[in-house]
Amino acid sequence: MTTGSDSPAGQERTAVQAAVARLEAAAAGLPPVPDGRPGHVSLSEEVCDRLIDLAAARAWLRVTGPASPDGADDIDDIDDVMHGCVRWAVQEDVVRSRSAAMAAEATPPVREGQPVDSAHRLVTHLITSLADAAYYDEVCARLRTALGPRLDGRAAAAWDIADEALRGLGATRDEWVDADPAFTAAGGWVLVDRIGRLQLAAALLAEAAALSGEEGPLCTNATRRYTWNWLRQPPPEAATDIHVQRTGELVGWIRSAGPAGQGSAA
């Protein structure tokens, strides 16, 4: 395995740092939290959720640490995969924050910082790596280490959600390992996002456990909300050749129908 800050893993961590910087800029454009009048509560929730996404990204950077200039970091190709998953998740959060801020006059790329085809090439790269049993199992093992032991008090609920999500990666392992990425990449973003979100949640949990005073409970509440928002979904399931075939059929059918009201029926 390649190691050092000049390795692909070191470069991927730099890419995450750039994505977090874009998220910082997008979050700076979020509107102030409005008052609690009817019709304003939903916007307050949206702003809060986007800022919690930013808090998770900041926590990940602090827990992971910057790459050392002498290249002495103990990083390897597994980190390349894990950091790539974090980058995907953070880039998605940039888009959500920009949408909430309504700051851009022009429509931004579907994945901020990357055109959509480049973003999905990232997914294909990650899914191809995760099809290797050694990579998949080591990623899960490192996620388990990052999650650590169950926390006490209010943080326990967040830990439980993250633990269930992590165990879900084991439940669907056989759908991803040794599978053909030509098919599994079709839905591979769900696995990439889950691995990224688990790392971000683990970083928030670590900070919640370390903080004292008023910040500790606030970070715990942020962690509970983050895991509730992102890790309650079912385990990530892989696409099959039938799924890919049906996708092609659906695309062809919808595009051939023409504008609304101009269907093919006589």
Side-chain angles (χ1 to χ4, degrees):
M1 289 185 180
T2 306
T3 60
S5 60
D6 291 332
S7 70
Q11 296 168 11
E12 190 60 62
R13 181 157 57 183
T14 300
V16 177
Q17 291 170 331
V20 175
R22 289 193 292 272
L23 182 57
E24 291 275 7
L30 289 168
V33 174
D35 60 39
R37 288 180 294 171
H40 288 186
V41 173
S42 61
L43 178 57
S44 299
E45 295 296 305
E46 174 73 14
V47 170
C48 182
D49 284 342
R50 301 291 69 81
L51 290 174
I52 289 172
D53 293 340
L54 175 60
R58 288 172 172 172
W60 186 89
L61 285 181
R62 285 192 288 264
V63 169
T64 305
S68 63
D70 60 5
D73 287 337
D74 185 17
I75 54 178
D76 55 28
D77 294 341
I78 301 296
D79 290 311
D80 178 34
V81 174
M82 298 184 72
H83 294 176
C85 294
V86 172
R87 174 155 67 105
W88 169 273
V90 172
Q91 287 174 171
E92 291 288 279
D93 292 339
V94 172
V95 176
R96 291 183 180 90
S97 290
R98 286 177 64 92
S99 176
M102 296 180 291
E105 295 181 3
T107 302
V110 175
R111 268 80 193 181
E112 181 68 18
Q114 290 186 312
V116 68
D117 62 331
S118 177
H120 284 280
R121 280 198 299 272
L122 171 61
V123 168
T124 301
H125 161 69
L126 296 171
I127 292 302
T128 300
S129 298
L130 289 163
D132 184 317
Y135 273 67
Y136 193 99
D137 292 342
E138 181 61 20
V139 165
C140 290
R142 293 187 188 187
L143 287 171
R144 176 57 64 187
T145 298
L147 187 57
R150 188 173 188 265
L151 300 179
D152 297 327
R154 286 178 56 79
W159 190 95
D160 288 343
I161 293 174
D163 173 67
E164 183 178 4
L166 178 52
R167 286 187 284 109
L169 294 183
T172 57
R173 176 187 184 278
D174 292 343
E175 296 185 21
W176 301 101
V177 171
D178 294 329
D180 185 353
F183 298 129
T184 57
W189 67 268
V190 297
L191 177 62
V192 169
D193 190 78
R194 181 55 56 89
I195 292 172
R197 300 292 176 189
L198 276 165
Q199 293 176 81
L200 291 159
L204 268 179
L205 279 165
E207 289 216 329
L211 288 171
S212 59
E214 295 182 357
E215 285 191 288
L218 289 170
C219 188
T220 295
N221 287 341
T223 307
R224 286 167 61 95
R225 191 150 168 172
Y226 188 87
T227 55
W228 182 267
N229 285 346
W230 293 118
L231 296 178
R232 287 180 302 128
Q233 295 90 344
E237 297 179 346
T240 64
D241 53 347
I242 296 299
H243 173 92
V244 173
Q245 175 186 330
R246 288 173 177 166
T247 296
E249 293 170 350
L250 288 169
V251 169
W253 170 60
I254 295 169
R255 284 183 168 170
S256 65
Q262 299 181 23
S264 58

